[in-house]
Short mmCIF file of all heavy atoms in Angstrom, two decimals:
data_model
loop_
_atom_site.label_atom_id
_atom_site.label_comp_id
_atom_site.label_asym_id
_atom_site.label_seq_id
_atom_site.Cartn_x
_atom_site.Cartn_y
_atom_site.Cartn_z
N ALA P 96 8.78 -10.26 -11.24
CA ALA P 96 9.00 -11.36 -12.17
C ALA P 96 7.79 -11.58 -13.06
O ALA P 96 7.91 -12.02 -14.17
CB ALA P 96 9.38 -12.66 -11.43
N ASP P 97 6.57 -11.26 -12.53
CA ASP P 97 5.30 -11.52 -13.30
C ASP P 97 4.73 -10.32 -13.88
O ASP P 97 3.88 -10.39 -14.81
CB ASP P 97 4.31 -12.28 -12.46
CG ASP P 97 4.79 -13.59 -12.02
OD1 ASP P 97 5.60 -14.35 -12.80
OD2 ASP P 97 4.52 -14.11 -10.92
N GLY P 98 5.04 -9.15 -13.26
CA GLY P 98 4.41 -7.89 -13.74
C GLY P 98 2.96 -7.84 -13.40
O GLY P 98 2.49 -8.41 -12.44
N VAL P 99 2.23 -7.05 -14.22
CA VAL P 99 0.72 -6.85 -13.93
C VAL P 99 -0.02 -8.09 -14.34
O VAL P 99 0.05 -8.54 -15.53
CB VAL P 99 0.26 -5.61 -14.71
CG1 VAL P 99 -1.27 -5.49 -14.50
CG2 VAL P 99 0.93 -4.39 -14.23
N GLN P 100 -0.74 -8.72 -13.42
CA GLN P 100 -1.48 -9.96 -13.65
C GLN P 100 -2.98 -9.64 -13.63
O GLN P 100 -3.32 -8.50 -13.26
CB GLN P 100 -1.10 -11.01 -12.58
CG GLN P 100 0.32 -11.43 -12.69
CD GLN P 100 0.74 -12.33 -11.54
OE1 GLN P 100 1.05 -11.76 -10.42
NE2 GLN P 100 0.82 -13.62 -11.73
N GLY P 101 -3.83 -10.60 -13.94
CA GLY P 101 -5.23 -10.46 -14.01
C GLY P 101 -5.86 -9.89 -12.80
O GLY P 101 -6.65 -8.85 -12.79
N HIS P 102 -5.50 -10.35 -11.60
CA HIS P 102 -6.10 -9.94 -10.37
C HIS P 102 -5.53 -8.58 -9.99
O HIS P 102 -6.21 -7.82 -9.26
CB HIS P 102 -5.86 -10.98 -9.18
CG HIS P 102 -6.55 -10.70 -7.97
ND1 HIS P 102 -7.93 -10.47 -7.95
CD2 HIS P 102 -6.17 -10.62 -6.67
CE1 HIS P 102 -8.34 -10.30 -6.71
NE2 HIS P 102 -7.25 -10.34 -5.92
N THR P 103 -4.34 -8.20 -10.42
CA THR P 103 -3.76 -6.86 -10.24
C THR P 103 -4.68 -5.81 -10.85
O THR P 103 -5.00 -4.81 -10.28
CB THR P 103 -2.35 -6.73 -10.77
OG1 THR P 103 -1.57 -7.94 -10.49
CG2 THR P 103 -1.66 -5.58 -10.25
N ARG P 104 -5.09 -6.11 -12.10
CA ARG P 104 -6.04 -5.14 -12.83
C ARG P 104 -7.38 -5.04 -12.04
O ARG P 104 -7.87 -3.92 -11.95
CB ARG P 104 -6.24 -5.65 -14.29
CG ARG P 104 -5.01 -5.69 -15.14
CD ARG P 104 -5.39 -6.01 -16.55
NE ARG P 104 -4.15 -6.27 -17.27
CZ ARG P 104 -3.59 -7.50 -17.41
NH1 ARG P 104 -4.22 -8.58 -16.91
NH2 ARG P 104 -2.49 -7.67 -18.14
N THR P 105 -7.81 -6.15 -11.52
CA THR P 105 -9.11 -6.07 -10.76
C THR P 105 -8.97 -5.23 -9.54
O THR P 105 -9.78 -4.37 -9.22
CB THR P 105 -9.54 -7.51 -10.33
OG1 THR P 105 -9.58 -8.38 -11.44
CG2 THR P 105 -10.88 -7.49 -9.56
N LEU P 106 -7.86 -5.43 -8.80
CA LEU P 106 -7.51 -4.51 -7.59
C LEU P 106 -7.45 -3.09 -8.03
O LEU P 106 -7.99 -2.25 -7.29
CB LEU P 106 -6.22 -4.98 -6.97
CG LEU P 106 -6.26 -6.43 -6.30
CD1 LEU P 106 -4.88 -6.82 -5.92
CD2 LEU P 106 -7.14 -6.39 -5.04
N TRP P 107 -6.79 -2.80 -9.18
CA TRP P 107 -6.63 -1.42 -9.61
C TRP P 107 -8.00 -0.73 -9.90
O TRP P 107 -8.23 0.36 -9.55
CB TRP P 107 -5.76 -1.42 -10.88
CG TRP P 107 -5.36 -0.01 -11.27
CD1 TRP P 107 -5.88 0.77 -12.30
CD2 TRP P 107 -4.30 0.76 -10.68
NE1 TRP P 107 -5.28 1.96 -12.36
CE2 TRP P 107 -4.28 2.02 -11.37
CE3 TRP P 107 -3.34 0.56 -9.64
CZ2 TRP P 107 -3.36 3.00 -11.06
CZ3 TRP P 107 -2.47 1.62 -9.35
CH2 TRP P 107 -2.53 2.80 -10.05
N ARG P 108 -8.89 -1.55 -10.47
CA ARG P 108 -10.27 -1.07 -10.77
C ARG P 108 -10.98 -0.76 -9.48
O ARG P 108 -11.70 0.27 -9.37
CB ARG P 108 -10.98 -1.99 -11.70
CG ARG P 108 -10.56 -2.00 -13.14
CD ARG P 108 -11.60 -2.72 -13.99
NE ARG P 108 -11.67 -4.16 -13.70
CZ ARG P 108 -10.87 -5.09 -14.30
NH1 ARG P 108 -9.97 -4.74 -15.20
NH2 ARG P 108 -11.01 -6.34 -14.04
N LEU P 109 -10.85 -1.63 -8.52
CA LEU P 109 -11.50 -1.45 -7.16
C LEU P 109 -10.99 -0.17 -6.45
O LEU P 109 -11.66 0.55 -5.89
CB LEU P 109 -11.36 -2.67 -6.31
CG LEU P 109 -12.17 -3.90 -6.65
CD1 LEU P 109 -11.65 -5.12 -5.90
CD2 LEU P 109 -13.61 -3.65 -6.38
N LEU P 110 -9.62 0.03 -6.51
CA LEU P 110 -8.99 1.17 -5.91
C LEU P 110 -9.47 2.38 -6.59
O LEU P 110 -9.71 3.45 -5.97
CB LEU P 110 -7.46 1.04 -6.05
CG LEU P 110 -6.86 -0.01 -5.13
CD1 LEU P 110 -5.43 -0.34 -5.61
CD2 LEU P 110 -6.86 0.39 -3.68
N GLU P 111 -9.70 2.36 -7.89
CA GLU P 111 -10.26 3.50 -8.61
C GLU P 111 -11.70 3.77 -8.19
O GLU P 111 -12.13 4.84 -7.99
CB GLU P 111 -10.18 3.20 -10.14
CG GLU P 111 -10.56 4.37 -10.98
CD GLU P 111 -10.33 4.17 -12.45
OE1 GLU P 111 -10.12 2.97 -12.88
OE2 GLU P 111 -10.33 5.15 -13.18
N ARG P 112 -12.45 2.71 -8.08
CA ARG P 112 -13.92 2.82 -7.63
C ARG P 112 -13.95 3.48 -6.33
O ARG P 112 -14.88 4.41 -6.12
CB ARG P 112 -14.55 1.41 -7.59
CG ARG P 112 -16.04 1.53 -7.25
CD ARG P 112 -16.60 0.13 -6.88
NE ARG P 112 -16.58 -0.78 -8.00
CZ ARG P 112 -16.87 -2.07 -7.86
NH1 ARG P 112 -17.20 -2.59 -6.66
NH2 ARG P 112 -16.83 -2.89 -8.94
N TYR P 113 -13.22 3.09 -5.37
CA TYR P 113 -13.27 3.69 -4.02
C TYR P 113 -12.38 4.95 -3.90
O TYR P 113 -12.29 5.52 -2.80
CB TYR P 113 -12.88 2.67 -3.02
CG TYR P 113 -13.89 1.51 -2.91
CD1 TYR P 113 -13.51 0.26 -3.28
CD2 TYR P 113 -15.10 1.74 -2.42
CE1 TYR P 113 -14.45 -0.80 -3.23
CE2 TYR P 113 -16.07 0.72 -2.38
CZ TYR P 113 -15.72 -0.54 -2.74
OH TYR P 113 -16.64 -1.55 -2.70
N GLN P 114 -11.71 5.36 -5.02
CA GLN P 114 -10.89 6.60 -5.01
C GLN P 114 -9.77 6.63 -3.93
O GLN P 114 -9.70 7.54 -3.23
CB GLN P 114 -11.75 7.81 -4.99
CG GLN P 114 -12.54 8.14 -6.27
CD GLN P 114 -11.61 8.41 -7.44
OE1 GLN P 114 -10.89 9.43 -7.42
NE2 GLN P 114 -11.52 7.52 -8.40
N ILE P 115 -9.10 5.51 -3.83
CA ILE P 115 -8.02 5.38 -2.78
C ILE P 115 -6.64 5.67 -3.46
O ILE P 115 -6.28 5.12 -4.49
CB ILE P 115 -8.04 3.97 -2.24
CG1 ILE P 115 -9.39 3.70 -1.54
CG2 ILE P 115 -6.88 3.78 -1.18
CD1 ILE P 115 -9.55 2.24 -1.29
N PRO P 116 -5.91 6.61 -2.81
CA PRO P 116 -4.60 6.91 -3.33
C PRO P 116 -3.72 5.63 -3.18
O PRO P 116 -3.82 4.90 -2.25
CB PRO P 116 -4.07 7.98 -2.35
CG PRO P 116 -5.27 8.58 -1.62
CD PRO P 116 -6.26 7.44 -1.64
N VAL P 117 -2.77 5.42 -4.15
CA VAL P 117 -2.00 4.25 -4.19
C VAL P 117 -0.52 4.44 -4.34
O VAL P 117 -0.07 5.33 -5.12
CB VAL P 117 -2.46 3.37 -5.44
CG1 VAL P 117 -1.73 2.02 -5.36
CG2 VAL P 117 -3.92 3.13 -5.47
N PHE P 118 0.29 3.70 -3.46
CA PHE P 118 1.70 3.63 -3.64
C PHE P 118 1.92 2.17 -4.21
O PHE P 118 1.18 1.25 -3.87
CB PHE P 118 2.39 3.67 -2.32
CG PHE P 118 2.46 5.02 -1.69
CD1 PHE P 118 1.37 5.63 -1.10
CD2 PHE P 118 3.64 5.81 -1.80
CE1 PHE P 118 1.42 6.89 -0.57
CE2 PHE P 118 3.66 7.11 -1.28
CZ PHE P 118 2.57 7.65 -0.65
N LEU P 119 2.99 2.00 -5.08
CA LEU P 119 3.26 0.67 -5.63
C LEU P 119 4.63 0.22 -5.20
O LEU P 119 5.54 1.05 -5.22
CB LEU P 119 3.20 0.72 -7.13
CG LEU P 119 1.77 0.90 -7.80
CD1 LEU P 119 1.53 2.38 -8.02
CD2 LEU P 119 1.62 0.14 -9.04
N PHE P 120 4.71 -0.98 -4.72
CA PHE P 120 5.94 -1.60 -4.44
C PHE P 120 6.18 -2.81 -5.43
O PHE P 120 5.48 -3.75 -5.33
CB PHE P 120 6.06 -2.04 -2.94
CG PHE P 120 7.41 -2.51 -2.55
CD1 PHE P 120 8.42 -1.58 -2.15
CD2 PHE P 120 7.77 -3.91 -2.59
CE1 PHE P 120 9.68 -1.98 -1.79
CE2 PHE P 120 9.05 -4.30 -2.15
CZ PHE P 120 9.97 -3.36 -1.80
N ILE P 121 7.19 -2.70 -6.25
CA ILE P 121 7.47 -3.75 -7.22
C ILE P 121 8.48 -4.60 -6.52
O ILE P 121 9.71 -4.25 -6.35
CB ILE P 121 7.98 -3.19 -8.53
CG1 ILE P 121 6.83 -2.33 -9.22
CG2 ILE P 121 8.26 -4.32 -9.53
CD1 ILE P 121 6.74 -0.90 -8.79
N ASN P 122 8.06 -5.79 -6.17
CA ASN P 122 8.78 -6.70 -5.30
C ASN P 122 9.56 -7.79 -6.06
O ASN P 122 9.44 -7.90 -7.28
CB ASN P 122 7.83 -7.45 -4.35
CG ASN P 122 8.41 -8.09 -3.18
OD1 ASN P 122 9.54 -7.83 -2.78
ND2 ASN P 122 7.73 -9.06 -2.60
N LYS P 123 10.42 -8.50 -5.34
CA LYS P 123 11.21 -9.67 -5.87
C LYS P 123 12.17 -9.21 -6.99
O LYS P 123 12.47 -9.99 -7.86
CB LYS P 123 10.25 -10.76 -6.40
CG LYS P 123 9.32 -11.32 -5.31
CD LYS P 123 8.63 -12.56 -5.74
CE LYS P 123 7.66 -12.97 -4.61
NZ LYS P 123 7.00 -14.22 -4.96
N MET P 124 12.67 -7.98 -6.85
CA MET P 124 13.66 -7.57 -7.84
C MET P 124 15.03 -8.17 -7.67
O MET P 124 15.86 -8.11 -8.57
CB MET P 124 13.82 -6.01 -7.75
CG MET P 124 12.56 -5.21 -8.15
SD MET P 124 11.93 -5.59 -9.82
CE MET P 124 13.23 -4.87 -10.86
N ASP P 125 15.20 -8.86 -6.54
CA ASP P 125 16.51 -9.60 -6.41
C ASP P 125 16.61 -10.83 -7.21
O ASP P 125 17.68 -11.42 -7.37
CB ASP P 125 16.54 -10.04 -4.87
CG ASP P 125 15.39 -10.95 -4.42
OD1 ASP P 125 14.23 -10.47 -4.68
OD2 ASP P 125 15.65 -12.01 -3.90
N GLN P 126 15.44 -11.23 -7.85
CA GLN P 126 15.51 -12.43 -8.76
C GLN P 126 16.18 -12.04 -10.10
O GLN P 126 16.50 -13.04 -10.82
CB GLN P 126 14.08 -12.90 -8.98
CG GLN P 126 13.40 -13.50 -7.77
CD GLN P 126 12.01 -14.05 -8.01
OE1 GLN P 126 11.61 -14.06 -9.22
NE2 GLN P 126 11.32 -14.40 -7.01
N PHE P 127 16.31 -10.85 -10.39
CA PHE P 127 16.97 -10.47 -11.66
C PHE P 127 18.51 -10.46 -11.50
O PHE P 127 18.99 -9.69 -10.68
CB PHE P 127 16.51 -9.07 -12.14
CG PHE P 127 15.01 -9.11 -12.53
CD1 PHE P 127 14.07 -8.52 -11.61
CD2 PHE P 127 14.55 -9.70 -13.68
CE1 PHE P 127 12.76 -8.57 -11.91
CE2 PHE P 127 13.19 -9.73 -13.98
CZ PHE P 127 12.28 -9.09 -13.13
N LYS P 128 19.15 -11.27 -12.24
CA LYS P 128 20.56 -11.36 -12.16
C LYS P 128 21.19 -10.46 -13.35
O LYS P 128 20.56 -10.17 -14.31
CB LYS P 128 21.04 -12.82 -12.36
CG LYS P 128 20.47 -13.82 -11.42
CD LYS P 128 20.57 -13.42 -9.92
CE LYS P 128 19.83 -14.29 -8.94
NZ LYS P 128 19.77 -13.75 -7.61
N GLY P 129 22.39 -10.12 -13.14
CA GLY P 129 23.09 -9.31 -14.16
C GLY P 129 23.74 -8.12 -13.52
O GLY P 129 23.60 -7.92 -12.36
N ASN P 130 24.36 -7.31 -14.34
CA ASN P 130 24.95 -6.10 -13.82
C ASN P 130 24.00 -4.99 -13.55
O ASN P 130 22.79 -5.11 -13.91
CB ASN P 130 26.11 -5.59 -14.77
CG ASN P 130 25.59 -5.29 -16.17
OD1 ASN P 130 24.47 -4.78 -16.31
ND2 ASN P 130 26.36 -5.67 -17.20
N ASP P 131 24.47 -3.90 -13.00
CA ASP P 131 23.47 -2.79 -12.66
C ASP P 131 22.78 -2.11 -13.83
O ASP P 131 21.59 -1.84 -13.70
CB ASP P 131 24.28 -1.67 -11.94
CG ASP P 131 24.82 -2.06 -10.57
OD1 ASP P 131 24.38 -3.04 -10.07
OD2 ASP P 131 25.65 -1.40 -9.98
N GLU P 132 23.49 -2.18 -14.96
CA GLU P 132 22.86 -1.56 -16.19
C GLU P 132 21.72 -2.48 -16.68
O GLU P 132 20.63 -1.93 -17.04
CB GLU P 132 23.92 -1.45 -17.28
CG GLU P 132 23.46 -0.64 -18.48
CD GLU P 132 24.55 -0.46 -19.48
OE1 GLU P 132 25.68 -0.32 -19.12
OE2 GLU P 132 24.18 -0.54 -20.68
N GLU P 133 21.89 -3.78 -16.64
CA GLU P 133 20.82 -4.70 -17.02
C GLU P 133 19.65 -4.70 -16.02
O GLU P 133 18.48 -4.71 -16.50
CB GLU P 133 21.37 -6.18 -17.14
CG GLU P 133 22.36 -6.32 -18.28
CD GLU P 133 23.10 -7.67 -18.18
OE1 GLU P 133 23.26 -8.19 -17.08
OE2 GLU P 133 23.51 -8.17 -19.26
N LYS P 134 19.94 -4.55 -14.75
CA LYS P 134 18.89 -4.49 -13.81
C LYS P 134 18.10 -3.19 -13.96
O LYS P 134 16.88 -3.11 -13.80
CB LYS P 134 19.49 -4.47 -12.38
CG LYS P 134 19.96 -5.88 -11.97
CD LYS P 134 20.56 -5.86 -10.58
CE LYS P 134 21.03 -7.27 -10.23
NZ LYS P 134 21.63 -7.29 -8.88
N GLN P 135 18.79 -2.09 -14.30
CA GLN P 135 18.17 -0.79 -14.51
C GLN P 135 17.19 -0.89 -15.77
O GLN P 135 16.09 -0.30 -15.76
CB GLN P 135 19.22 0.26 -14.71
CG GLN P 135 18.63 1.76 -14.87
CD GLN P 135 17.75 2.18 -13.72
OE1 GLN P 135 18.16 1.89 -12.55
NE2 GLN P 135 16.70 2.94 -13.95
N GLU P 136 17.67 -1.56 -16.73
CA GLU P 136 16.87 -1.74 -18.01
C GLU P 136 15.60 -2.53 -17.65
O GLU P 136 14.52 -2.19 -18.16
CB GLU P 136 17.67 -2.49 -19.09
CG GLU P 136 18.70 -1.64 -19.73
CD GLU P 136 19.53 -2.36 -20.75
OE1 GLU P 136 19.31 -3.59 -20.99
OE2 GLU P 136 20.57 -1.75 -21.33
N GLU P 137 15.74 -3.58 -16.81
CA GLU P 137 14.57 -4.41 -16.45
C GLU P 137 13.59 -3.55 -15.62
O GLU P 137 12.41 -3.63 -15.83
CB GLU P 137 15.06 -5.56 -15.61
CG GLU P 137 13.99 -6.49 -15.26
CD GLU P 137 13.29 -7.21 -16.51
OE1 GLU P 137 14.03 -7.52 -17.43
OE2 GLU P 137 12.07 -7.35 -16.46
N GLN P 138 14.08 -2.71 -14.79
CA GLN P 138 13.23 -1.79 -14.01
C GLN P 138 12.47 -0.81 -14.92
O GLN P 138 11.33 -0.57 -14.67
CB GLN P 138 14.18 -0.99 -13.07
CG GLN P 138 13.45 -0.52 -11.82
CD GLN P 138 14.40 -0.09 -10.71
OE1 GLN P 138 15.13 -0.96 -10.16
NE2 GLN P 138 14.50 1.17 -10.33
N GLU P 139 13.21 -0.28 -15.94
CA GLU P 139 12.56 0.64 -16.82
C GLU P 139 11.45 -0.05 -17.65
O GLU P 139 10.43 0.54 -17.96
CB GLU P 139 13.55 1.27 -17.77
CG GLU P 139 14.47 2.34 -17.04
CD GLU P 139 15.69 2.71 -17.79
OE1 GLU P 139 15.79 2.29 -19.03
OE2 GLU P 139 16.44 3.50 -17.30
N ARG P 140 11.68 -1.29 -18.01
CA ARG P 140 10.71 -2.07 -18.75
C ARG P 140 9.50 -2.31 -17.90
O ARG P 140 8.36 -2.21 -18.41
CB ARG P 140 11.41 -3.49 -19.20
CG ARG P 140 10.48 -4.34 -20.04
CD ARG P 140 11.02 -5.69 -20.28
NE ARG P 140 10.95 -6.51 -19.02
CZ ARG P 140 9.87 -6.98 -18.53
NH1 ARG P 140 8.66 -6.78 -19.12
NH2 ARG P 140 9.94 -7.71 -17.37
N LEU P 141 9.62 -2.70 -16.66
CA LEU P 141 8.63 -2.87 -15.73
C LEU P 141 7.74 -1.57 -15.50
O LEU P 141 6.49 -1.64 -15.50
CB LEU P 141 9.08 -3.39 -14.38
CG LEU P 141 9.34 -4.90 -14.26
CD1 LEU P 141 10.18 -5.19 -13.03
CD2 LEU P 141 8.09 -5.69 -14.27
N LEU P 142 8.48 -0.47 -15.36
CA LEU P 142 7.76 0.78 -15.14
C LEU P 142 6.91 1.14 -16.41
O LEU P 142 5.77 1.60 -16.31
CB LEU P 142 8.77 1.86 -14.93
CG LEU P 142 8.17 3.26 -14.57
CD1 LEU P 142 7.44 3.27 -13.24
CD2 LEU P 142 9.25 4.36 -14.54
N ALA P 143 7.52 0.90 -17.62
CA ALA P 143 6.74 1.15 -18.90
C ALA P 143 5.45 0.31 -18.88
O ALA P 143 4.39 0.74 -19.33
CB ALA P 143 7.58 0.88 -20.06
N SER P 144 5.59 -0.93 -18.43
CA SER P 144 4.47 -1.86 -18.34
C SER P 144 3.39 -1.35 -17.43
O SER P 144 2.16 -1.40 -17.77
CB SER P 144 4.93 -3.24 -17.99
OG SER P 144 3.84 -4.13 -17.65
N LEU P 145 3.80 -0.84 -16.27
CA LEU P 145 2.83 -0.29 -15.32
C LEU P 145 2.16 0.94 -15.90
O LEU P 145 0.90 1.10 -15.71
CB LEU P 145 3.55 0.08 -13.98
CG LEU P 145 4.22 -1.00 -13.13
CD1 LEU P 145 4.97 -0.34 -12.01
CD2 LEU P 145 3.14 -1.95 -12.68
N GLN P 146 2.90 1.76 -16.56
CA GLN P 146 2.26 2.94 -17.16
C GLN P 146 1.29 2.62 -18.29
O GLN P 146 0.31 3.27 -18.48
CB GLN P 146 3.39 3.84 -17.74
CG GLN P 146 4.24 4.52 -16.61
CD GLN P 146 5.49 5.20 -17.15
OE1 GLN P 146 5.87 5.00 -18.24
NE2 GLN P 146 6.00 6.10 -16.29
N LYS P 147 1.55 1.49 -18.98
CA LYS P 147 0.60 1.10 -20.00
C LYS P 147 -0.55 0.36 -19.50
O LYS P 147 -1.67 0.61 -19.92
CB LYS P 147 1.44 0.12 -21.02
CG LYS P 147 0.55 -0.32 -22.16
CD LYS P 147 1.36 -1.34 -23.02
CE LYS P 147 0.41 -1.86 -24.12
NZ LYS P 147 1.10 -3.02 -24.85
N GLU P 148 -0.37 -0.52 -18.53
CA GLU P 148 -1.45 -1.35 -18.02
C GLU P 148 -2.34 -0.70 -16.97
O GLU P 148 -3.52 -0.93 -16.86
CB GLU P 148 -0.84 -2.65 -17.34
CG GLU P 148 -0.06 -3.52 -18.32
CD GLU P 148 -0.88 -4.54 -19.04
OE1 GLU P 148 -2.16 -4.57 -18.79
OE2 GLU P 148 -0.42 -5.30 -19.91
N LEU P 149 -1.69 0.17 -16.17
CA LEU P 149 -2.42 0.79 -15.02
C LEU P 149 -2.64 2.28 -15.25
O LEU P 149 -3.74 2.71 -15.34
CB LEU P 149 -1.65 0.53 -13.74
CG LEU P 149 -1.44 -0.94 -13.33
CD1 LEU P 149 -0.64 -1.06 -12.07
CD2 LEU P 149 -2.68 -1.78 -13.32
N SER P 150 -1.54 3.09 -15.21
CA SER P 150 -1.68 4.57 -15.41
C SER P 150 -0.43 5.13 -15.80
O SER P 150 0.66 4.75 -15.38
CB SER P 150 -2.15 5.20 -14.04
OG SER P 150 -2.05 6.57 -14.16
N THR P 151 -0.49 6.12 -16.69
CA THR P 151 0.71 6.82 -17.13
C THR P 151 1.29 7.68 -15.97
O THR P 151 2.46 8.11 -16.08
CB THR P 151 0.39 7.80 -18.32
OG1 THR P 151 -0.68 8.66 -17.90
CG2 THR P 151 0.04 7.04 -19.55
N SER P 152 0.51 7.84 -14.95
CA SER P 152 0.96 8.58 -13.72
C SER P 152 1.79 7.67 -12.72
O SER P 152 2.07 8.22 -11.64
CB SER P 152 -0.18 9.26 -13.03
OG SER P 152 -0.80 10.22 -13.89
N CYS P 153 2.11 6.46 -13.08
CA CYS P 153 2.95 5.66 -12.29
C CYS P 153 4.42 6.08 -12.54
O CYS P 153 4.93 5.94 -13.61
CB CYS P 153 2.85 4.14 -12.65
SG CYS P 153 1.26 3.36 -12.17
#
Side-chain angles (χ1 to χ4, degrees):
D97 297 327
V99 176
Q100 296 170 280
H102 191 50
T103 316
R104 294 186 192 93
T105 304
L106 291 170
W107 189 259
R108 286 194 294 270
L109 285 168
L110 289 163
E111 188 174 13
R112 180 193 298 173
Y113 294 111
Q114 285 297 291
I115 299 165
V117 186
F118 287 78
L119 292 92
F120 187 82
I121 297 83
N122 195 21
K123 304 191 180 184
M124 294 303 292
D125 58 308
Q126 293 184 6
F127 295 103
K128 307 304 176 193
N130 59 38
D131 290 347
E132 192 177 322
E133 288 169 335
K134 287 179 180 177
Q135 185 60 36
E136 284 175 6
E137 187 58 43
Q138 203 163 295
E139 287 169 6
R140 186 191 65 77
L141 278 166
L142 185 65
S144 169
L145 294 175
Q146 291 172 342
K147 182 185 175 186
E148 299 271 358
L149 303 179
S150 170
T151 52
S152 297
C153 290

